[in-house]
Amino acid sequence: MTKILIVLSEWGYWGEELVGPLETFDATGYQVDFATPNGKRPVALGVSMDPTFVDPPLGRPVTTQDMADKVRQLDDTNNPRLNNPKNLREWLPERPYWSSPKFLREMEEYYRRLDEVQQRDLQTYDAILIVGGSGPMVDLANNQRVHDLILSFYQMGKPVAAECYGVSCLAFARDIGDRKSIIWGKHVTGHCLEYDYKDGTGFNGSNIDPCLNNINFGPPFYPLEYILRDATGPDGQYHGNVGRPTSVIVDYPFITGRSTPDSYLTGQKLVEVLEKGLKRYGW
């Protein structure tokens, strides 16, 4: 049975960006495991369950009533599906500080444990998906363990998919030796500048601290498009496809989705990569 690892933020994922691929994988008969940075149950962003919410850059609602109902059902704590995700902090080792007095021995142990996880556990998966939303900016984008997961799948030649702000994880996943992004020379999409908020970037921290739900950070922490343009280098390219209803790019082994409307298509293209050997799409 084909097996997919889905990585989610603990600070809020966008509902449809999980539901879209997940429904596609379920319909195809794939097995799905979930993982979060600290093993906490992931939570959906409140606005992604609100069909009346008008996305400011797009000037229209982006969540249908049907989708809102699906997200609420999945997010309901009485639904056990998202319970007990894999704990990345316990599962993967932490790279030591360079200043550690036992740095060489600790680095050897770090690589030994990483190889062990790759051979024992990650070989059982066929692909990885990083779900988007604002949460990944907080606990996934600069998470070394997430980077090591992505690098492991990349090194094993297995598909790596990401949506929206989750694509930032691909830009920052770099071998510690050459420190070049793994999407250098590749074609990708992701949250474009035209879709960025000017105000209202927030998170769902109810599983960490309920007070965090009321914080407004204004614009996003960084313009993802600029990061992706730089990370792909002169021989790669970022594709915003502004004005087009969907934007999903396949440049094997990467499958990237721009934003919420691309969720189902991202899942579908990952299935095509696995089932039909799709190597290129969308550019």
Side-chain angles (χ1 to χ4, degrees):
M1 179 180 290
T2 300
K3 193 174 179 182
I4 310 294
L5 179 64
I6 296 182
V7 180
L8 292 143
S9 168
E10 293 173 355
W11 290 76
Y13 66 87
W14 192 275
E16 187 170 343
E17 293 178 27
L18 173 58
V19 171
L22 186 59
E23 282 193 350
T24 304
F25 300 154
D26 287 348
T28 312
Y30 290 174
Q31 180 181 337
V32 174
D33 285 346
F34 303 99
T36 59
N38 299 290
K40 294 181 182 293
R41 192 182 197 276
V43 289
L45 293 163
V47 290
S48 73
M49 297 183 281
D50 181 2
T52 68
F53 172 73
V54 175
D55 186 272
L58 297 180
R60 60 174 174 80
V62 293
T63 301
T64 65
Q65 183 64 59
D66 179 59
M67 178 54 64
D69 293 341
K70 289 180 178 180
V71 177
R72 287 190 182 280
Q73 182 179 10
L74 184 61
D75 189 62
D76 190 331
T77 54
N78 291 318
N79 184 337
R81 182 139 198 207
L82 296 180
N83 287 349
N84 304 311
K86 292 182 177 297
N87 184 337
L88 297 184
R89 181 176 289 273
E90 295 179 351
W91 193 15
L92 287 96
E94 182 178 36
R95 190 170 60 235
Y97 278 119
W98 305 106
S99 60
S100 171
K102 298 180 180 180
F103 174 72
L104 290 179
R105 300 290 82 78
E106 290 174 356
M107 278 297 286
E108 290 172 355
E109 177 64 10
Y110 160 74
Y111 281 124
R112 186 196 67 76
R113 289 182 57 197
L114 194 57
D115 288 343
E116 183 181 82
V117 171
Q118 187 179 98
Q119 297 301 318
R120 183 192 64 216
D121 301 330
L122 301 185
Q123 287 284 2
T124 66
Y125 292 97
D126 297 279
I128 186 173
L129 169 68
I130 313 294
V131 174
S134 58
M137 289 190 282
V138 179
D139 62 354
L140 299 186
N142 192 26
N143 187 319
Q144 169 245 304
R145 290 180 173 89
V146 173
H147 299 166
D148 281 345
L149 267 183
I150 293 169
L151 286 165
S152 294
F153 278 81
Y154 176 71
Q155 291 161 2
M156 291 186 291
K158 297 185 177 186
V160 177
E163 305 169 275
C164 192
Y165 284 108
V167 184
S168 62
C169 300
L170 309 190
F172 296 130
R174 305 171 183 228
D175 182 88
I176 197 64
D178 64 23
R179 309 194 186 191
K180 181 182 290 185
S181 174
I182 57 173
I183 59 172
W184 185 267
K186 289 293 186 177
H187 291 251
V188 301
T189 189
H191 207 273
C192 57
L193 192 66
E194 290 82 357
Y195 283 23
D196 281 350
Y197 288 12
K198 292 183 178 180
D199 186 38
T201 300
F203 305 94
N204 190 338
S206 60
N207 60 346
I208 301 169
D209 183 345
C211 296
L212 297 172
N213 293 337
N214 300 317
I215 298 177
N216 176 3
F217 285 89
F221 298 158
Y222 48 77
L224 179 57
E225 177 179 331
Y226 291 167
I227 291 172
L228 296 178
R229 287 186 180 278
D230 291 345
T232 51
D235 298 322
Q237 188 175 342
Y238 166 82
H239 302 267
N241 289 320
V242 177
R244 296 182 180 273
T246 58
S247 178
V248 173
I249 302 293
V250 178
D251 190 358
Y252 194 87
F254 304 110
I255 303 96
T256 51
R258 179 180 59 193
S259 191
T260 304
D262 311 291
S263 305
Y264 280 92
L265 187 58
T266 299
Q268 291 162 11
K269 291 305 170 186
L270 177 53
V271 169
E272 289 183 37
V273 167
L274 291 169
E275 302 292 329
K276 301 179 180 180
L278 179 68
K279 301 293 184 184
R280 171 174 172 162
Y281 173 84
W283 54 281

